[in-house]
Amino acid sequence: MDRSYKELLKLRRFPHTWCPGCGIGAVLKNVVMVIKELSWNNQNTVAVSGIGCSGRMSGYMNLDAVHTPHGRVLTAAETIKTVRPDLNVIVLSGDGDLASIGGNHLLHTSRRNPDITVFCNNNEIYGLTGGQAGPTTPKGTKTLTSPRGEPYLPLRLGRILTQQPPYFYARTTVYHLNHFKTCIREALLWNGFSFVDIISDCIELNGRRLGFKTAHQMFKWFDERFHIVEGEREHLQEDELGIAKAVVEKVPRPIEKVEEKPEIPTEGLKPFTLQELHHFNGTEGKPIYIAFKGKVYDLSTSPLFQGEKRMRCHLAGKDLTKDMDIAPHGEDLVFKFSVVGKLSGERV
Ligand SMILES: Cc1ncc(C[n+]2csc(CCOP(=O)(O)OP(=O)(O)O)c2C)c(N)n1
Ligand code: SF4
């Protein structure tokens, strides 16, 4: 068996801190294996983690890694991708970190669609802090904070993340290993925001409370709860493992009609020096003239010139060529007004 994926693990930090049987180990191993298969390495790939047992994954990877404050993993990952688009950016975190305290970032990062891949170790609980109910805990589950059963319906991550294209949402489990690896690979190769929702086990602080004696018993339970669906689809039912993806259809942009600007001849126009132009500044009933690219326009009827005969910070009676060249509307502000002369003489 090819064990070269171990190059991507910081083996000197092992043994890891996770409980025996915890699903996080399988997430780490399989993500690293696929990264190795794709020949990604510590020169071109960054791993970003949040807080929680799952958040420790990046620390065991032989990649540049960032361990971020609780809930802020996506902001850090998106920032890295923005300033270094050449890097592969992967996120490894828990359902609590991503969907509870980080829920708002999940909504908006997915909406902005940066090219990053998120691996969510979804054990349906807050593991690190003792097994409290989180946003993905199924209704009725007994936890440290819901001893009589979680009273609320969980967040349906699959529904939230497949609301509007483009999206890539995969649901898999740590038990369905072949399927899991396919999801990892497709997500890493997806161009845009991709999210792999990995149903995983926290045997110690969730499983035992639910009556499971071993992690393997929990895996069997995953097998009963979920089934794999093959092929292209846009949405997944709550009991389906698969990949839901959609791209935005490229609609050709309508060609903008460019308004023809009449060419105004300058011969025969009355010449104005800058000093003379300054006189027409709109005060005491005088007309409002401004110069633009050598022509003098009468803007007396322009609603843009108001108090103190200013157009925003620009005064009437001036040559505004430089200002209008860099303004968003530029020439469009003046060309519908009549030309009353041309600029001549030296600047004063
Ligand atoms: C601001 C802040 N609030 C609360 C905590 C406590 N805390 C640490 S990890 C965690 C939950 C982690 O749950 P999850 O992301 O599901 O990870 P798991 O431990 O289950 O892998 C919480 C609430 C914290 N570290 N910082
Ligand atoms: S507490 Fe739960 S999630 Fe954390 S390492 Fe142990 S089994 Fe895994």
Side-chain angles (χ1 to χ4, degrees):
M1 188 192 173
D2 180 13
R3 294 187 190 278
S4 59
Y5 68 87
K6 289 193 175 178
E7 290 164 17
L8 291 173
L9 291 172
K10 280 206 172 87
L11 291 174
R12 64 188 158 79
R13 291 202 173 154
F14 279 60
H16 56 66
T17 59
W18 299 307
C19 308
C22 174
I24 299 174
V27 176
L28 176 67
K29 182 177 173 184
N30 285 283
V31 169
V32 160
M33 283 171 95
V34 180
I35 288 178
K36 181 69 195 168
E37 282 164 25
L38 294 173
S39 302
W40 292 8
N41 54 45
N42 60 6
Q43 298 302 302
N44 58 23
T45 309
V46 179
V48 194
S49 273
I51 300 295
C53 296
S54 313
R56 293 197 161 138
M57 272 187 275
S58 63
Y60 292 113
M61 289 177 150
N62 204 6
L63 297 174
D64 266 351
V66 191
H67 200 190
T68 65
H70 198 22
R72 304 299 179 256
V73 63
L74 292 179
T75 56
E78 190 179 355
T79 305
I80 295 168
K81 189 69 193 176
T82 305
V83 294
R84 287 292 306 273
D86 54 312
L87 295 176
N88 304 308
V89 180
I90 62 167
V91 168
L92 304 122
S93 209
D95 49 318
D97 188 71
L98 287 161
S100 188
I101 188 170
N104 206 15
H105 297 302
L106 182 60
L107 290 183
H108 295 287
T109 307
S110 60
R111 179 173 65 88
R112 289 189 292 265
N113 194 35
D115 187 12
I116 62 180
T117 298
V118 181
F119 297 105
C120 173
N121 181 68
N122 187 352
N123 53 19
E124 304 178 322
I125 205 86
Y126 293 167
L128 184 78
T129 42
Q132 296 88 348
T136 50
T137 306
K139 189 174 177 184
T141 307
K142 289 185 178 167
T143 73
L144 189 69
T145 47
S146 58
R148 275 179 265 162
E150 167 62 26
Y152 307 114
L153 283 170
L155 275 190
R156 313 276 196 204
L157 288 178
R159 292 194 196 181
I160 292 170
L161 293 169
T162 60
Q163 268 195 85
Q164 51 189 17
Y167 57 76
F168 180 108
Y169 169 83
R171 188 189 293 116
T172 185
T173 85
V174 287
Y175 176 67
H176 298 81
L177 284 182
N178 287 339
H179 184 259
F180 181 20
K181 278 184 83 175
T182 306
C183 293
I184 298 171
R185 174 178 274 274
E186 285 211 29
L188 289 173
L189 295 176
W190 180 256
N191 187 12
F193 185 83
S194 49
F195 190 97
V196 187
D197 190 359
I198 310 152
I199 307 298
S200 180
D201 71 295
C202 167
I203 180 63
E204 287 304 327
L205 296 172
N206 181 33
R208 298 210 193 285
R209 208 173 265 127
L210 297 179
F212 297 105
K213 290 197 172 60
T214 62
H216 191 255
Q217 284 183 3
M218 279 193 95
F219 294 165
K220 287 296 193 196
W221 179 54
F222 296 159
D223 202 24
E224 284 160 23
R225 271 172 71 191
F226 300 100
H227 62 274
I228 295 172
V229 290
E230 306 283 354
E232 295 261 316
R233 54 193 63 232
E234 291 196 348
H235 298 281
L236 293 173
Q237 299 299 320
E238 291 310 310
D239 58 353
E240 289 179 342
L241 304 177
I243 296 173
K245 55 186 174 182
V247 291
V248 182
E249 292 293 324
K250 285 217 166 54
V251 183
R253 281 174 61 175
I255 299 159
E256 274 178 38
K257 242 183 123 188
V258 182
E259 218 174 318
E260 289 282 325
K261 290 169 196 166
E263 196 44 54
I264 305 155
T266 49
E267 301 94 66
L269 285 175
K270 179 178 166 2
F272 283 81
T273 63
L274 280 173
Q275 241 166 347
E276 285 165 343
L277 180 67
H278 186 60
H279 174 75
F280 297 97
N281 58 8
T283 57
E284 297 162 6
K286 285 179 273 187
I288 296 169
Y289 290 178
I290 64 113
F292 179 67
K293 292 192 176 167
K295 291 180 190 120
V296 176
Y297 292 81
D298 182 354
L299 269 71
S300 302
T301 53
S302 165
L304 293 170
F305 275 91
Q306 284 158 0
E308 295 178 32
K309 303 304 168 202
R310 278 171 191 272
M311 181 170 65
R312 301 202 183 91
C313 59
H314 309 301
L315 279 170
K318 300 261 182 193
D319 180 4
L320 298 184
T321 307
K322 266 193 191 163
D323 302 301
M324 283 167 54
D325 256 354
I326 54 167
H329 303 292
E331 208 169 340
D332 293 350
L333 285 179
V334 294
F335 91 92
K336 56 185 169 212
F337 294 97
S338 54
V339 177
V340 290
K342 62 181 176 187
L343 209 53
S344 70
E346 294 299 306
R347 284 173 177 270
V348 276

